Amino acid sequence: MERVPFSLEEIEVLRNAIDISEELIGDRYRISTSDWKRYRYDIQSLCQLAVDEVTDFAFAQILRYTRHPDEKPLASRHGDYFKICLQDHVILNVLRRDPKIRLLPLAAYIVAHELIHVIRFATFVQRYDAALREREEEERRVHALTYELLKDRKIEGLKEVLAAFSDCRAMETFLTRS
Ligand SMILES: [Zn+2]
């Protein structure tokens, strides 16, 4: 699979999708601006990723670091840090194959879905290293939560994205680094 990163315009659309998702999730989970700092995560796209953070088999890869990569080894721990690695080329491939699917609603769906995972891991609602069956149940749950979060939003093309992706397909892969 050719690994084409988002263009500058597509990065702008992605930023918009991240804003929409963070705002909806902030409302839904009652996270204030200062509370957001407790959730240690970054959302990065393909050109920011290291080779081993790239996958061709999912829209995203979530890396959990038990320590932030910039944190000094002896600094006090602040809890897990999550790096949400978006796989531009996998996302663009879907857009190329299905003209009904648009980037803004698809990116909003993916980002909201991944953020819900991160919040559930960070607040220990869900264990990161759960067994396969529990992970599959969690995936269904997170799809349902993402659907609920987005379904009434007025985003052009959202209906098509919800119809195509709010089933039980696996959206991401998970890795742990210490
Ligand atoms: Zn998921």
Side-chain angles (χ1 to χ4, degrees):
M1 185 186 281
E2 207 192 339
R3 292 173 174 172
V4 183
F6 289 141
S7 66
L8 288 178
E9 292 95 294
E10 287 161 345
I11 292 283
E12 276 306 308
V13 175
L14 173 62
R15 286 214 181 96
N16 194 356
I18 292 171
D19 288 345
I20 291 171
S21 306
E22 286 180 340
E23 195 183 324
L24 288 174
I25 286 175
D27 289 347
R28 165 69 179 74
Y29 292 89
R30 297 194 179 83
I31 302 168
S32 68
T33 314
S34 60
D35 280 349
W36 271 114
K37 293 196 192 81
R38 287 196 300 131
Y39 297 100
R40 293 154 29 91
Y41 68 88
D42 281 307
I43 301 171
Q44 301 198 327
S45 59
L46 188 60
C47 60
Q48 298 165 296
L49 304 183
V51 178
D52 60 350
E53 294 170 345
V54 177
T55 174
D56 295 330
F57 306 105
F59 289 130
Q61 181 148 250
I62 297 185
L63 276 80
R64 180 187 67 159
Y65 289 84
T66 50
R67 176 181 292 282
H68 191 289
D70 297 337
E71 230 167 74
K72 291 190 187 73
L74 294 175
S76 59
R77 293 271 321 271
H78 294 287
D80 293 342
Y81 161 73
F82 296 93
K83 186 167 172 182
I84 300 171
C85 304
L86 296 178
Q87 310 295 320
D88 309 17
H89 56 298
V90 180
I91 297 169
L92 291 173
N93 210 25
V94 167
L95 302 186
R96 208 168 25 239
R97 274 194 318 230
D98 188 346
K100 290 197 301 297
I101 301 297
R102 321 251 323 231
L103 180 58
L104 180 65
L106 179 57
Y109 189 86
I110 295 168
V111 170
H113 179 109
E114 304 311 329
L115 283 177
I116 290 172
H117 272 303
V118 163
I119 284 164
R120 290 170 62 83
F121 292 138
T123 54
F124 306 105
V125 174
Q126 174 66 22
R127 287 189 310 134
Y128 191 86
D129 49 5
L132 180 63
R133 187 190 296 174
E134 194 183 327
R135 275 212 309 265
E136 287 170 354
E137 282 168 19
E138 176 68 1
E139 188 61 8
R140 273 193 287 277
R141 225 173 279 131
V142 172
H143 272 297
L145 291 168
T146 312
Y147 181 87
E148 278 303 310
L149 185 79
L150 289 174
K151 70 176 172 36
D152 296 326
R153 302 298 129 193
K154 294 203 168 26
I155 303 171
E156 205 183 332
L158 179 63
K159 214 162 40 142
E160 287 76 6
V161 166
L162 292 179
F165 297 100
S166 59
D167 57 8
C168 296
R169 77 174 259 171
M171 299 287 280
E172 70 288 297
T173 48
F174 298 100
L175 293 174
T176 299
R177 303 262 166 86
S178 50

